[in-house]
Amino acid sequence: MSYKIYELKLKPTSSWITDLTADTIFGHLCWQIKYKFSDEVLEKFLKEMEQKPIFTISDVLPANRLPRPLTEYDSQNVDVWNDTDNWLYLKYKKKYNKEIVYIPEDELDKFSNYEPEKIKNIINNKDFENENNKKWTYFSEKIENKNIVNRLAWTTLENGIYSQWVNEFNENSRNKVVRILFKTSKQLDNYKILDEELNFFELLKNVFEIWYWKKKSSWKWQFKVWKWKEKNLGKENWNNILLLSSFIPSTDDPTDWNYKIFTKFPKLWEEFSLEWQNFYKKPLVMIQTGATFKNNNKWYVGKMIKDVDFIDKWIYHYAYGFTIEF
């Protein structure tokens, strides 16, 4: 199926708390649809996404960098190595698995053939280990110490000190902007839902420009935003696909290749996360960004998950993966 990929460049001008992943961004897109249109339009939109995605979005990524593809050398099973390779396993396992998070966009071709010797040569290459392939070159974490304020007396609470982790963008000469990618097989600048015209390009752009929940986030998540541009990325009809965002597979998605899973405990939307309710959705087992699979000739993988909360509301979790072919 033919599709187009678009790129939106962003520059973080503040720190942020929740990771800038596709499902988080999608959740705040839903809040914008709810506020700008209505609950009915939002519910109809979610039902259409559940049947078949109107679009998929990526995590926020460094410009000109992609998640590095997971290979058999990410396996916890030492049997993939022969006896003479044990030294390489011990030497490279931690560095390859933990430190090397990104690869240059134009080097994806190196991973297109999954022969063990070829992959071994890639991770042996000193260029692969350079700082520009490590996550903390682009993003870092720090602890902020805060104190709870008594807003009746306008004083701090004696035992109200707490700490929180925040994410920061590490700007340097090679790292000036980040980006989000948007993939669709439809015309989305005037998409009709219940007689309302939705321009998804503008709505997603507004997510980063307006951020409807600023008042509750201490003015974090501030971005400078550019315009959407069409992007040539990956190669159509190649044998493998790479995931640029986490996803939950549907029954017809491939799961016989190289990937890692993790359990996510996502929070509920604002109005469903009151103090007397359970703050989290049901745990979800998801496949991690960077997963690689055999191409299944679809432009998307994954599925929307419905009713993931504990109080039986119509709450969905976005669980489509953004795929590129290589």
Side-chain angles (χ1 to χ4, degrees), residues 64-299:
N64 302 318
R65 276 321 211 236
L66 296 174
R68 67 124 174 125
L70 298 180
T71 73
E72 56 265 44
Y73 291 103
D74 292 286
S75 173
Q76 301 293 329
N77 185 1
V78 186
D79 291 343
V80 299
W81 307 77
N82 61 42
D83 292 339
T84 59
D85 281 333
N86 281 337
W87 69 273
L88 186 65
Y89 178 82
L90 295 173
K91 179 178 180 182
Y92 281 103
K93 182 175 179 359
K94 181 178 180 181
K95 180 174 290 187
Y96 182 71
N97 283 352
K98 301 288 181 63
E99 296 183 7
I100 306 302
V101 179
Y102 300 114
I103 62 168
E105 187 175 301
D106 58 5
E107 290 188 10
L108 186 60
D109 287 2
K110 289 183 179 180
F111 290 84
S112 60
N113 185 336
Y114 268 74
E115 293 179 0
E117 287 301 316
K118 184 174 181 181
I119 301 299
K120 190 188 299 182
N121 288 338
I122 293 172
I123 66 175
N124 267 311
N125 191 316
K126 294 299 180 184
D127 291 338
F128 187 72
E129 297 178 25
N130 74 57
E131 292 299 317
N132 291 325
N133 289 342
K134 299 177 180 179
K135 182 175 181 179
W136 51 77
T137 300
Y138 305 94
F139 309 111
S140 61
E141 291 184 320
K142 74 172 186 179
I143 292 180
E144 286 186 349
N145 296 315
K146 296 182 175 293
N147 199 320
I148 297 173
V149 175
N150 181 337
R151 298 190 183 277
L152 296 176
W154 290 109
T155 59
T156 55
L157 300 182
E158 184 176 351
N159 297 314
I161 297 174
Y162 67 96
S163 299
Q164 67 180 16
W165 284 98
V166 297
N167 297 284
E168 292 193 327
F169 175 61
N170 298 330
E171 184 177 359
N172 55 54
S173 59
R174 294 186 178 182
N175 185 40
K176 293 187 177 295
V177 296
V178 293
R179 60 176 172 169
I180 181 176
L181 297 165
F182 180 68
K183 183 176 183 180
T184 182
S185 60
K186 301 178 183 292
Q187 187 71 28
L188 292 185
D189 53 359
N190 56 354
Y191 192 87
K192 276 209 161 189
I193 299 179
L194 297 179
D195 296 325
E196 296 281 3
E197 281 194 0
L198 281 68
N199 185 331
F200 283 105
F201 294 103
E202 287 302 312
L203 290 171
L204 273 169
K205 193 165 177 279
N206 285 344
V207 165
F208 295 96
E209 286 184 327
I210 298 173
W211 292 95
Y212 279 75
W213 64 100
K214 273 183 185 177
K215 61 185 182 298
K216 295 186 178 179
S217 64
S218 303
W219 294 96
K220 296 185 184 299
W221 283 319
Q222 306 297 306
F223 293 86
K224 181 179 178 182
V225 184
W226 278 260
K227 293 181 179 179
W228 286 101
K229 290 189 176 180
E230 193 168 339
K231 175 81 176 174
N232 292 320
L233 190 67
K235 311 237 175 160
E236 287 191 54
N237 301 318
W238 275 42
N239 293 327
N240 311 307
I241 58 173
L242 170 67
L243 271 293
L244 272 58
S245 61
S246 300
F247 83 111
I248 293 179
S250 66
T251 54
D252 57 349
D253 286 331
T255 54
D256 57 349
W257 208 234
N258 299 305
Y259 60 93
K260 293 181 179 180
I261 61 175
F262 67 100
T263 303
K264 183 161 190 169
F265 296 85
K267 295 178 182 177
L268 290 167
W269 297 354
E270 287 182 26
E271 65 188 44
F272 302 119
S273 59
L274 301 176
E275 188 174 350
W276 52 271
Q277 295 175 334
N278 194 310
F279 194 72
Y280 292 96
K281 299 177 185 176
K282 296 173 185 175
L284 304 170
V285 178
M286 302 187 74
I287 291 179
Q288 187 172 304
T289 301
T292 55
F293 298 99
K294 291 287 188 182
N295 199 340
N296 61 350
N297 296 316
K298 286 200 309 181
W299 69 276

Side-chain angles (χ1 to χ4, degrees), residues 23 264 266 281 284 286 303-305 308 315-319:
D23 54 337
K264 183 161 190 169
K281 299 177 185 176
L284 304 170
M286 302 187 74
K303 60 180 178 179
M304 295 282 288
I305 305 299
V308 295
I315 296 179
Y316 291 74
H317 188 89
Y318 179 81

